[in-house]
Amino acid sequence: MTAPAIDRAWLRRRPPVAVPHGVKTSRRARLIFAPSLLVSFLFVYVFIGITGYISLSNWKVGTSPDLSLRQPFGATYGEIVGEQRFQADYRNVIIFTVVFLVLAIVGGLVAALFIHHVAIGRSLFRTVFLLPYALSFIVTGVVWRWIFAPSTGINVFLKAIGIQNPPGWTTDPGIVGAINSIDIGSPLKIQLGIPVALLPIIFAAAWQLVGFAMAMYLAGLASIPEEHLEAASVDGANAWQRLRHIVLPQLWPSTITCFVLLLHVALKIFDLVVAMSGSGPGFVTDVPGIYIYNYLTSRYDKASAMALILLGLTLLVVVPYLMRGYRRERKA
Amino acid sequence: MRSPLKITGAAIASAALVGSLAACAANEQANSGASGGKSLEITSWWTSGSEADALGVLTTAVKAADAGLSVDNAAVSGGGGANARQALAARLQAGSPPDTWQLHPAGQLKAYVDGGQVADISQLWSDNGWASKLPKDVADAQQVNGKYYTVPIGVHRGNVLWTNPAVLSKSGVTIDPKGGVDSLIAGLKKVQATGTTAVCLGDKDVFASAELLESLIMARTGADNWKKLFTNSYSFGAPEVKQALNDYTTILGLANKDHSALTWDEAAKNMADGKCAVNLMGDWAFGELGNAGKQPGKDFSWVTFPGQDEVFDYVGDGFSIPAANLKHPDEAKAWLKTLMDPKVQTDFAAKKGSIPARTDADISSLSEYQQQAATAFKSVPVVSSLAHGQVTTAEFAQTYSDAVTALNGGGSIDAFVSTMVQAQSSQLK
């Protein structure tokens, strides 16, 4: 029962309201933040602006700048949206993001609950789960490529246990659950569905980042007061009810943080795909990152347009999250 | 907490940060601008074992010709030169280019000429009479609008069919380079019928299948029509091209199913290990197989890719010097002259696995394969590769490579043809 005392102490230290202190502090704050604001303005926003301008220009070859605006205005965007490769890339990145987030977050939660409740070897397990996160995507990607190589990898084992036609993994050009067929002349040049070849890559990415999600959840679990769980037990809640009504709601902030941070990984994925499969037959494993890289030297305008569309996709998810945080801060 | 002292401190710290950034930039300028002693900065993408050795031959030669010269090797690895070209583009933009850089002739050269970045070295060519020492097609590839901008150091061949003699003889098949594509496919089907995979392919990086299709198109159209494809005076919709596309899908059906999971070198080694009968790859595969301990003639052999008439699919390396901000003009010119020395070209070829561009270079010390390739290089039509972005613009090459990827994923031949025909009319002016 010491809380009110602290409150009073804090009130006493507060300067009289009459002093226009807020204005002064904010001016000083601005002064202190100015250099970093300036640097981030220059190196982030100005450069985004330049990329945006290039995407509207005629600049094709990287070494021959051509800053005249392309006519009709925004024609590059129209051009790439009609491409099979562009359509496949966004189908892939959306499927990748959704499945990867579910796998990594659920996997991280399960791992965290397991480690939180296991009595022995807790730090050993924590290290085991966290270790892949410390490796580079290129390193793990090469190993995963070998594991999923149809004629030498995991398929050798599958054949040994009697599976005659093991999957082709990243070499399979098929689309599962396709909701359309490709019509000649239609603006939609791909089948919408889940590319089979993408699944091993999603699995590899989730494996690598489960440790990260686990670490976030472990921190969240540690902050749940024991009393809440004890009180629930006393009231007769079983383990599932305690998880469902006490633990999960209090882990919600961890989930949101995981979601936003892992979303970045998914949308920007590049190195893991390059190492594991490249673009794949018919672009079944192609992602916007590889598209941008491929066109950087031959069509600077197209690569820039693709980069901006990817940025737009990121903002679509991140902006609501930031707005929510900002609104909550103002309320508090 | 908010004392003026702290604020001043923060201001000083930030000023120091900005100052040190400026100092860094100034340092960079000073370093790259220094021209005290004789030095030469070379940008290339030769970083792997044999490539670095081959580059070493060149730098040793240029140092021997000019005592006291220090060579700065600014090689950038990865991406088949893509990373090196990115780094070079940044330096060209900043007005601080290296003294010389590696590039492919023809289409890639044209991009640098259009950007005004490479120096016209026609004078050097005529002073030394280099044009008469090269096949005409090769000399032409070093020019843009009748002027020379680069010198060729080495020549690779893209359309070589590597074969496994044991697998072929077991199936009773011989591949006749003069027999044309139809007889090749008939032979491959015969191999397939014995239960052995006919074709090894590793197109995780799509250039491998782009090169296979390119060899088929050349085989069907011949050298002259191949060249016309890139001036838009011969259409990708021509019956010969469509025939080549049909051949391609047939051969894809005879290849290992996991081709998109393998790299080109893995596919070449599988061929030498007897997992299939043939593998199409450029002659850098010769060096790769040799490094893997495979014996030419025993573990593997080779034929020119069969076609109507023999064609030499040229994948070349050359060096150019910058048009502006050239820091060491004398050293850079001496470098180009060194590259065109026949003895240097032979020594370079021995390490790189390529063949000399000069037809008067002594090839007697090179391997049997290299000698055969050098003989063909002198006598058959030489055309530039599309799969390696040499024959035309990088944009067209990327369009082609994307169209091949679509085709590999079950895309239709009609879709491929319409994409390429449209690219011909919109990109080749």
Side-chain angles (χ1 to χ4, degrees):
Chain A
M1 289 295 127
T2 48
I6 285 173
D7 259 352
R8 237 173 279 132
W10 178 73
L11 280 171
R12 238 182 286 127
R13 267 194 277 116
R14 263 182 71 183
V17 185
V19 178
H21 188 81
V23 178
K24 238 182 179 170
T25 2
S26 81
R27 199 181 298 145
R28 280 174 186 167
R30 274 183 210 156
L31 203 67
I32 291 169
F33 279 117
S36 73
L37 272 179
L38 192 74
V39 167
S40 71
F41 175 76
L42 196 72
F43 288 102
V44 178
Y45 301 102
V46 170
F47 284 5
I48 290 175
I50 293 174
T51 307
Y53 185 84
I54 292 170
S55 74
L56 298 169
S57 76
N58 280 313
W59 189 343
K60 290 189 171 178
V61 180
T63 48
S64 314
D66 180 353
L67 287 173
S68 60
L69 280 177
R70 184 175 172 184
Q71 296 302 332
F73 186 79
T76 305
Y77 288 89
E79 181 188 341
I80 64 176
V81 168
E83 285 176 357
Q84 182 198 357
R85 183 171 186 181
F86 171 89
Q87 296 172 359
D89 285 2
Y90 280 96
R91 171 196 65 199
N92 297 348
V93 82
I94 288 167
I95 298 285
F96 184 98
T97 304
V98 172
V99 182
F100 163 75
L101 283 175
V102 170
L103 284 184
I105 289 177
V106 172
L109 178 64
V110 171
L113 287 171
F114 169 72
I115 288 173
H116 193 70
H117 290 103
V118 81
I120 41 166
R122 190 179 288 188
S123 62
L124 173 76
F125 282 119
R126 203 163 45 205
T127 314
V128 164
F129 281 111
L130 205 52
L131 202 58
Y133 181 59
L135 297 170
S136 126
F137 267 139
I138 287 288
V139 174
T140 58
V142 169
V143 177
W144 281 113
R145 180 166 87 82
W146 292 334
I147 292 174
F148 286 117
S151 51
T152 50
I154 193 171
N155 280 5
V156 174
F157 170 75
L158 291 179
K159 274 181 187 152
I161 60 166
I163 297 172
Q164 289 307 313
N165 289 309
W169 305 115
T170 56
T171 65
D172 191 335
I175 308 288
V176 185
I179 53 171
N180 66 320
S181 57
I182 305 166
D183 302 315
I184 304 289
S186 141
L188 189 64
K189 297 192 175 91
I190 54 155
Q191 280 193 300
L192 296 176
I194 301 173
V196 180
L198 209 51
L199 296 175
I201 302 175
I202 298 175
F203 180 79
W207 167 81
Q208 188 150 353
L209 284 152
V210 150
F212 174 77
M214 178 205 71
M216 302 291 278
Y217 278 125
L218 276 180
L221 281 170
S223 70
I224 297 175
E226 257 332 290
E227 297 84 18
H228 291 190
L229 292 166
E230 278 165 18
S233 293
V234 169
D235 288 343
N238 62 25
W240 166 248
Q241 285 167 327
R242 285 198 303 266
L243 178 67
R244 171 76 185 75
H245 297 287
I246 309 285
V247 176
L248 287 186
Q250 299 205 46
L251 285 179
W252 187 242
S254 309
T255 306
I256 294 290
T257 313
C258 263
F259 174 79
V260 171
L261 293 178
L262 292 180
L263 182 84
H264 282 245
V265 176
L267 292 178
K268 291 190 296 195
I269 194 81
F270 170 77
D271 32 12
L272 182 69
V273 187
V274 168
M276 277 184 78
S277 66
S279 294
F283 303 111
V284 278
T285 61
D286 203 41
V287 287
I290 301 180
Y291 183 105
I292 294 168
Y293 177 74
N294 277 169
Y295 276 100
L296 215 49
T297 42
S298 55
R299 281 291 300 272
Y300 212 37
D301 56 339
K302 247 164 92 162
S304 303
M306 193 67 165
L308 277 195
I309 296 172
L310 189 58
L311 177 70
L313 192 70
T314 315
L315 292 183
L316 216 63
V317 191
V318 173
V319 166
Y321 169 73
L322 291 178
M323 298 268 280
R324 189 166 155 271
Y326 182 67
R327 241 182 274 135
R328 197 188 292 157
E329 237 169 61
R330 291 195 63 176
K331 256 187 234 158
Chain B
M1 181 67 201
R2 297 186 189 102
S3 75
L5 198 69
K6 287 265 167 72
I7 295 170
T8 321
I12 289 172
S14 56
L17 178 74
V18 171
S20 64
L21 280 174
C24 279
N27 261 344
E28 194 118 318
Q29 208 83 50
N31 283 342
S32 57
S35 51
K38 289 186 287 182
S39 71
L40 179 73
E41 190 187 5
I42 305 163
T43 292
S44 74
W45 53 85
W46 288 330
T47 53
S48 84
S50 62
E51 292 171 341
D53 287 351
L55 181 61
V57 168
L58 303 181
T59 54
T60 309
V62 75
K63 278 190 213 163
D66 187 356
L69 178 74
S70 81
V71 171
D72 181 5
N73 177 10
V76 181
S77 71
N83 297 343
R85 288 194 287 274
Q86 304 272 3
L88 175 65
R91 292 191 54 182
L92 284 167
Q93 297 244 14
S96 170
D99 295 310
T100 179
W101 67 83
Q102 180 195 357
L103 76 176
H104 292 313
Q108 201 178 86
L109 172 65
K110 191 173 178 301
Y112 289 113
V113 175
D114 291 347
Q117 283 126 352
V118 284
D120 176 359
I121 49 170
S122 303
Q123 191 61 41
L124 209 55
W125 274 75
S126 61
D127 288 352
N128 293 283
W130 288 334
S132 64
K133 305 286 191 263
L134 302 165
K136 189 183 173 302
D137 291 325
V138 176
D140 287 351
Q142 321 303 321
Q143 302 176 34
V144 175
N145 301 328
K147 289 180 181 145
Y148 288 97
Y149 291 94
T150 179
V151 299
I153 170 67
V155 173
H156 276 294
R157 184 174 200 171
N159 58 340
V160 186
L161 195 65
W162 305 94
T163 60
N164 186 309
V167 173
L168 283 180
S169 73
K170 209 180 83 193
S171 331
V173 173
T174 47
I175 292 171
D176 176 10
K178 301 210 183 335
V181 179
D182 294 324
S183 103
L184 167 69
I185 290 177
L188 294 178
K189 282 184 174 160
K190 215 169 146 189
V191 174
Q192 194 83 356
T194 67
T196 309
T197 306
V199 182
C200 275
L201 178 64
D203 63 354
K204 176 179 171 285
D205 302 304
V206 75
F207 89 87
S209 42
E211 203 171 310
L212 172 61
L213 176 57
E214 159 176 296
S215 303
L216 283 162
I217 297 176
M218 284 172 192
R220 290 289 181 184
T221 64
D224 287 339
N225 284 337
W226 172 260
K227 287 183 203 163
K228 285 184 190 164
L229 283 171
F230 308 101
T231 52
N232 198 15
S233 42
Y234 182 77
S235 170
F236 264 94
E240 290 82 3
V241 178
K242 283 190 177 162
Q243 182 58 53
L245 285 158
N246 278 318
D247 300 336
Y248 176 75
T249 47
T250 307
I251 290 181
L252 214 54
L254 298 169
N256 47 306
K257 295 283 166 278
D258 59 347
H259 56 86
S260 70
L262 301 182
T263 55
W264 68 268
D265 51 312
E266 289 167 343
K269 279 172 208 146
N270 282 348
M271 181 278 301
D273 286 340
K275 290 185 181 158
C276 67
V278 301
N279 168 238
L280 176 120
M281 190 36 67
D283 57 13
W284 42 93
F286 183 79
E288 190 68 30
L289 289 170
N291 285 345
K294 308 291 178 196
Q295 295 294 321
K298 186 171 151 282
D299 296 317
F300 69 97
S301 188
W302 58 88
V303 289
T304 304
F305 195 81
Q308 251 65 327
D309 304 297
E310 192 176 345
V311 182
F312 191 104
D313 185 11
Y314 168 39
V315 183
D317 288 304
F319 277 88
S320 290
I321 58 176
N325 304 311
L326 176 54
K327 280 162 230 135
H328 308 99
D330 296 338
E331 288 82 354
K333 278 181 190 143
W335 163 252
L336 298 183
K337 274 192 202 164
T338 305
L339 298 183
M340 287 302 280
D341 181 324
K343 171 82 172 57
V344 171
Q345 293 216 338
T346 303
D347 294 347
F348 174 82
K351 296 281 185 201
K352 183 78 164 55
S354 55
I355 58 170
R358 282 185 73 130
T359 51
D360 59 348
D362 177 20
I363 52 166
S364 59
S365 61
L366 298 179
S367 71
E368 190 192 345
Y369 167 74
Q370 282 166 304
Q371 293 193 25
Q372 282 183 15
T375 310
F377 182 62
K378 286 180 207 172
S379 53
V380 306
V382 176
V383 299
S384 281
S385 164
L386 172 60
H388 293 273
Q390 183 169 307
V391 69
T392 182
T393 63
E395 181 186 8
F396 196 87
Q398 185 65 51
T399 308
Y400 171 71
S401 141
D402 280 1
V404 173
T405 304
L407 197 60
N408 287 353
S412 72
I413 289 176
D414 290 338
F416 178 93
V417 167
S418 86
T419 304
M420 293 312 293
V421 168
Q422 206 238 324
Q424 275 184 306
S425 66
S426 65
Q427 294 175 26
L428 305 173
K429 283 158 198 162

